[in-house]
Each structure stands twice: as C-alpha cells, then as structure tokens.
Amino acid sequence: MKAMMGMSAVGAALGAVLLLAAAPAMALEVREQATIKAPIEQVWKQIAPFCAIGDWHPAVESCNLRKTGDRQERDLALKGGGAIQERLTGLSAAKHRLRYTLLSGPLPVKNYNSTIRLSAVDAHTTRITWSSKFEAKGASDADARKTIAGIYTSGFDGLRKRLESGQ
C-alpha cells in the first residue's frame, strides 16, 4: 500500500510538472513613472487625443487617426521607418487614464495592453505612469521589457520638452 501511494504521489508530481510546462507564457509587465512640471489638465490635453502622441513622442514621425466602427485606431509612422497600429480601448477624463492595445508593428511583443495614467502631485506638477502587460515575441523577456521601457521614457522626455519649455 505504501509503495502504491508513493507511485501516485510521483504521478501527481509529474502531472503537475507537465501541466506547468504546457501553461502559456506569463505576461510581462513594464511600469515607468515620471513627473512633469505642468498642471494635470495641461498634460491631459497632450495625452487624451489618441493621435496627439505624434506631437510629443520623439520616435513618432506622424499619426493618422481612423475610426473602425465606434473604435478609434491610430497608425503611427516611426522615424527611421516602420509603422505601428494601435486601438484605443478606454478613455476616462475623470480618472485621467487612457488605455490602448497594439494591433501590429515591429515591437518584440504580442498581446500588448497599455495604460497611461496621470495624477496631480500638486497644482503645477503631474505624475505620469505608463504601464503595460504583454508577452515577448521574437526577443528575450529582458529585451522586450527594455524596448518597451525605452519607448515610455523617451515619451516622457518628449512630453517634458513640449510642456516644460512652453512650446
């Protein structure tokens, strides 16, 4: 009897290992924060229009907005070539939050969902949090994370340049 219990415990453990091996890849997360010396409503005016990213993100050459049914989608032409298509999935002026998903593009990610959220530090300073969940595609987890984090931090630099210099 003891030997049989031992075998079933081994079988259960082996089953658990096989189940884990077959499980889908865990979602990666990236979360970057920055403060911008501008009131929250001023920063929100740069973030909220879905195609405004073309005005402040240094990697974006231009943005073309289109409606697909009741959904907003944007085609981003990247400086140096390449294009990204994204879909707006949520917008809340009350929460100063924008959500979107990646439809296609050269980024080393899949199942990418992102949120940009603003919060007031004080009347003249805004904290921006840009976060996402995704899986790596054609790159290591570390490289995928590094690429996405770099997009966010260069975006913060672009927003600062636009808002803090008074352009």
Side-chain angles (χ1 to χ4, degrees), residues 123-140:
H124 308 289
T125 311
T126 302
R127 176 176 295 109
I128 180 169
T129 304
W130 199 342
S131 60
S132 58
K133 289 185 180 177
F134 55 86
E135 293 170 50
K137 181 183 86 178
S140 69

Side-chain angles (χ1 to χ4, degrees), residues 60-130:
V60 177
E61 183 73 43
S62 65
C63 181
N64 181 43
L65 191 66
R66 66 175 188 273
K67 292 249 185 192
T68 304
D70 60 346
R71 296 175 181 253
Q72 286 188 56
E73 294 179 353
R74 65 185 176 194
D75 295 317
L76 304 176
L78 304 177
K79 290 182 179 162
I84 293 175
Q85 289 75 41
E86 296 172 328
R87 176 181 293 143
L88 183 66
T89 56
L91 187 67
S92 171
K95 294 180 181 177
H96 296 100
R97 184 182 67 210
L98 178 143
R99 290 186 171 146
Y100 66 95
T101 187
L102 179 71
L103 300 176
S104 67
L107 299 177
V109 298
K110 64 181 181 178
N111 301 324
Y112 175 95
N113 290 289
S114 186
T115 302
I116 300 175
R117 183 185 314 244
L118 305 179
S119 57
V121 175
D122 59 36
H124 308 289
T125 311
T126 302
R127 176 176 295 109
I128 180 169
T129 304
W130 199 342

